[in-house]
Amino acid sequence: MSQQDAAIAEVQRAIFAYVARNDYAGLQDYVIASNEHPDTLVSMVWALLDAPHVRGAYLMAKLLNLNGMVNPVVSFALYCGGKALGNSEDVELGKRLLREQFDRQPPEMQKRTYDALEPLILQQISLALGEPELTQPMLSLLDIVKQVAPDLRARFDFEAVPVPLDVEDLKVKGRAATRLTPLIGPKEGAPRAPRKAIVAFREFVFPHFHNSRLLEQGPTMVNCLNGYGWNARFHGLEFNKHEIQDAERVAAACLAERPDVLILDAVLLHFPRPIELIVEMRKKMPDLKIVGLYFDAWSCSPKQLRIAGAHFDVIWTVTPDLEHWKMPEIAHKVFQAPLPRGGDFGGPILPLQNKLHFSGGIAAYNWHRGIWIAAMRQANIPIETHMSAFIDDKLPALESYVAYMRRIADGRCCINFSMRQNMTTFSLTARSFEALATGALLVQESCPEMDCYFTAGEHYLPFSNFAELRAIANFIAEQPAEAEKIRRAGNAFYRSRYHDNKIAGYFDQALYG
């Protein structure tokens, strides 16, 4: 540690000691008497917010502000402290100063400012998610995040008047944007080889969480392949610090059972030793086809995908627009298709109702969902929510998944959000397919990858901002017959193109065609 780092660490110890004793008068005297560089004191405000010691950060921010300090971290602390301690003047001051400081920065500096504040924003989000009632905490949070996120200012402009939905115009634009992913199945009536497969996926939704719910993707894949005429079985992976043992067990299972195909949770080969074990196993089984399936490829680096991809015959992804797939080492291996749903859930039965339904989870990595829902409640848009924390429900994976799919079907009108933590909306989520598979009307936050699978206006209703979402809610209430047509068309298209039997055929063709 350098002498400067040691000095800064000593300042932090002193400040945190005052806060730990609730000695805010002593903290004030310390800061006033301090000869520390202003940047050091700003970093202390950040550290206190991160702790979180909001009151201490707030006191330091007030002192620095009174001494003319102009800094986004200081302004953010004024807002957070004012909100926590009920000082509305400082709430407004922090918000106004942060907006002024952010807006006069060049774009590259704005990004650095947001990146610096993002951990503090996410922490405030985590605190808000702990509240029993989300509406006001999430809207308050939106109020400050808007100051450093211009995209959210336009997306959540509550003063914008909704333009009545023109479905025909929406269809014209949707058809122009549609670029369906090419999917080739076997010829009609062609015999199906009874292949043998091992499906080795993670067993839990979040392997690193205690008491996580079971993940359905392994059992639904097995159901799909067996329905197609293969002999497939599920092999659960532990992942959480057991990657080597997982790879050892997969290799042993393959050598014992001699499958034709191994469908592998691709992230397992992001670790060196598992790669070695799979390579050793494959030398003994040169005809084995190894398929790497990525659930969240957007979270993987190009280097990881390149290294792991070298060992796969086929890479299965639902996210076709990811730039990484264009890398020449793996581009020819990529199979782009939805994942099977594990069965046929039929078409619409219950009549459409004027209420949106959301069934899913809200966490720090998808916190925007909470803002959408809070904004809808504030605007009296009818919405029903079924919140999930992915906690073990004591049900077998398929039984739990079928219950979830029934909730979506019973909801009749499913709203789905696509924004990620970095505020991009390029990537699909499974719920887009699940809604249409169950016969629900899909109301979908705009996502470019939807154009690879469906047509906006014909199969679902897209929205990019809150005014558009209000227009969709009005349309469903005022023109239920037209909304019902879209609902039925979306389900019919899904079943004709993405039914499990179709997916299995595309997959068979990608492997052996």
Side-chain angles (χ1 to χ4, degrees):
M1 181 183 291
S2 69
Q3 188 173 358
Q4 182 181 7
D5 290 340
I8 292 173
E10 182 57 39
V11 172
Q12 181 165 326
R13 278 194 292 271
I15 287 175
F16 271 65
Y18 283 114
V19 172
R21 297 194 300 269
N22 292 320
D23 184 3
Y24 294 103
L27 174 62
Q28 179 172 313
D29 292 341
Y30 178 87
V31 172
I32 291 172
S34 173
N35 291 320
E36 298 298 330
H37 192 280
D39 288 348
T40 299
L41 296 177
V42 169
S43 70
M44 296 302 108
V45 175
W46 195 100
L48 286 167
L49 281 175
D50 187 52
H53 292 307
V54 175
R55 188 173 178 182
Y58 176 53
L59 174 59
M60 286 192 66
K62 284 185 72 69
L63 292 172
L64 293 172
N65 177 252
L66 288 171
N67 282 279
M69 169 62 71
V70 176
N71 186 279
V73 173
V74 171
S75 301
F76 188 80
L78 286 173
Y79 175 91
C80 292
K83 181 68 69 174
L85 299 176
N87 187 331
S88 59
E89 290 185 3
D90 280 343
V91 168
E92 292 304 313
L93 175 62
K95 191 167 66 173
R96 177 177 60 79
L97 290 175
L98 187 57
R99 176 75 163 259
E100 291 173 356
Q101 292 156 14
F102 182 84
D103 283 356
R104 62 171 173 251
Q105 293 175 336
E108 64 276 8
M109 190 64 185
Q110 287 181 341
K111 183 181 185 312
R112 286 201 290 272
T113 295
Y114 180 83
D115 289 346
L117 291 176
E118 186 181 46
L120 305 178
I121 291 170
L122 292 177
Q123 185 188 74
Q124 294 299 309
I125 288 162
S126 296
L127 294 173
L129 292 175
E131 296 289 329
E133 209 290 314
L134 281 178
T135 302
Q136 285 311 312
M138 293 307 292
L139 292 178
S140 294
L141 194 59
L142 172 64
D143 208 23
I144 189 63
V145 179
K146 274 184 174 181
Q147 312 314 316
V148 291
D151 178 66
L152 294 188
R153 299 175 197 171
R155 195 172 289 264
F156 293 100
D157 180 358
F158 298 132
E159 303 301 319
V161 178
V163 177
L165 193 66
D166 184 336
V167 174
E168 292 308 314
D169 181 60
L170 186 59
K171 287 179 181 178
V172 169
K173 293 176 179 175
R175 290 167 190 153
T178 299
R179 46 196 173 91
L180 294 181
T181 298
L183 290 169
I184 302 170
K187 292 181 180 179
E188 193 71 30
R192 299 174 183 175
R195 309 190 196 283
K196 190 174 182 180
I198 290 178
V199 177
F201 291 171
R202 64 195 74 176
E203 193 165 2
F204 297 95
V205 175
F206 295 118
H208 52 294
F209 284 178
H210 172 67
N211 207 28
S212 169
R213 180 172 63 76
L214 292 169
L215 180 67
E216 72 281 351
Q217 293 296 353
T220 56
M221 179 69 78
V222 167
N223 260 22
C224 169
L225 296 177
N226 287 341
Y228 184 71
W230 288 19
N231 177 13
R233 80 163 184 88
F234 176 56
H235 178 103
L237 302 179
E238 294 183 27
F239 266 104
N240 191 21
K241 298 182 181 178
H242 297 288
E243 294 86 6
I244 295 175
Q245 294 92 325
D246 279 336
E248 288 173 342
R249 286 191 286 266
V250 167
C254 288
L255 290 169
E257 299 176 32
R258 297 284 164 170
D260 303 295
V261 181
L262 168 64
I263 310 176
L264 190 63
D265 195 326
V267 177
L268 185 63
L269 296 198
H270 287 195
F271 302 91
R273 181 56 183 157
I275 287 179
E276 294 173 6
L277 291 166
I278 296 301
V279 168
E280 290 169 12
M281 177 267 293
R282 192 168 199 174
K283 288 176 182 176
K284 301 171 184 176
M285 300 181 63
D287 294 332
L288 176 68
K289 299 277 192 180
I290 301 182
V291 179
L293 192 145
Y294 279 98
F295 296 114
D296 295 309
W298 52 270
S299 66
C300 304
S301 72
K303 181 180 178 181
Q304 289 172 322
L305 294 173
R306 186 184 296 112
I307 292 172
H311 304 283
F312 297 130
D313 295 286
V314 167
I315 297 171
W316 190 336
T317 176
V318 184
T319 55
D321 281 351
L322 195 67
E323 280 295 312
H324 307 341
W325 301 137
K326 297 177 183 177
M327 293 187 294
E329 303 95 321
I330 61 174
H332 62 290
K333 299 182 178 183
V334 176
F335 170 59
Q336 300 168 355
L339 295 179
R341 303 269 65 92
D344 186 344
F345 294 90
I349 299 175
L350 299 172
L352 195 62
Q353 59 183 359
N354 178 28
K355 182 187 291 184
L356 296 171
H357 175 87
F358 174 77
S359 186
I362 301 175
Y365 61 87
N366 56 27
W367 57 273
H368 315 87
R369 296 176 179 182
I371 290 178
W372 282 113
I373 292 169
M376 292 169 71
R377 287 175 175 160
Q378 178 179 254
N380 294 318
I381 295 175
I383 181 168
E384 174 186 50
T385 60
H386 188 281
M387 296 299 179
S388 168
F390 301 106
I391 294 172
D392 183 12
D393 55 10
K394 309 303 180 185
L395 293 174
L398 275 179
E399 191 175 327
S400 176
Y401 186 62
V402 168
Y404 160 77
M405 294 290 272
R406 284 176 181 157
R407 283 196 298 274
I408 294 180
D410 291 346
R412 311 175 211 184
C413 185
C414 175
I415 187 166
N416 189 40
F417 309 107
S418 58
M419 187 174 285
R420 299 291 183 181
Q421 183 177 315
N422 62 2
M423 298 195 195
T424 62
T425 59
F426 78 89
S427 188
L428 282 169
T429 61
R431 199 170 295 104
S432 303
F433 299 99
E434 290 162 342
L436 296 172
T438 62
L441 172 64
L442 175 61
V443 177
Q444 168 76 43
E445 184 178 7
S446 292
C447 166
E449 288 191 333
M450 282 293 288
D451 297 331
C452 299
Y453 296 104
F454 303 103
T455 299
E458 289 190 2
H459 304 139
Y460 70 99
L461 294 171
F463 64 94
S464 297
N465 55 56
F466 191 68
E468 291 178 356
L469 180 54
R470 288 174 62 193
I472 288 173
N474 293 340
F475 168 75
I476 294 169
E478 297 164 6
Q479 301 184 57
E482 291 300 312
E484 181 68 22
K485 289 179 184 177
I486 297 170
R487 174 195 187 192
R488 291 185 177 276
N491 175 254
F493 185 79
Y494 178 91
R495 297 184 73 200
S496 70
R497 186 173 169 86
Y498 306 123
H499 185 280
D500 274 12
N501 218 33
K502 292 279 189 178
I503 296 296
Y506 304 144
F507 179 52
D508 191 357
Q509 192 74 6
L511 276 174
Y512 293 101

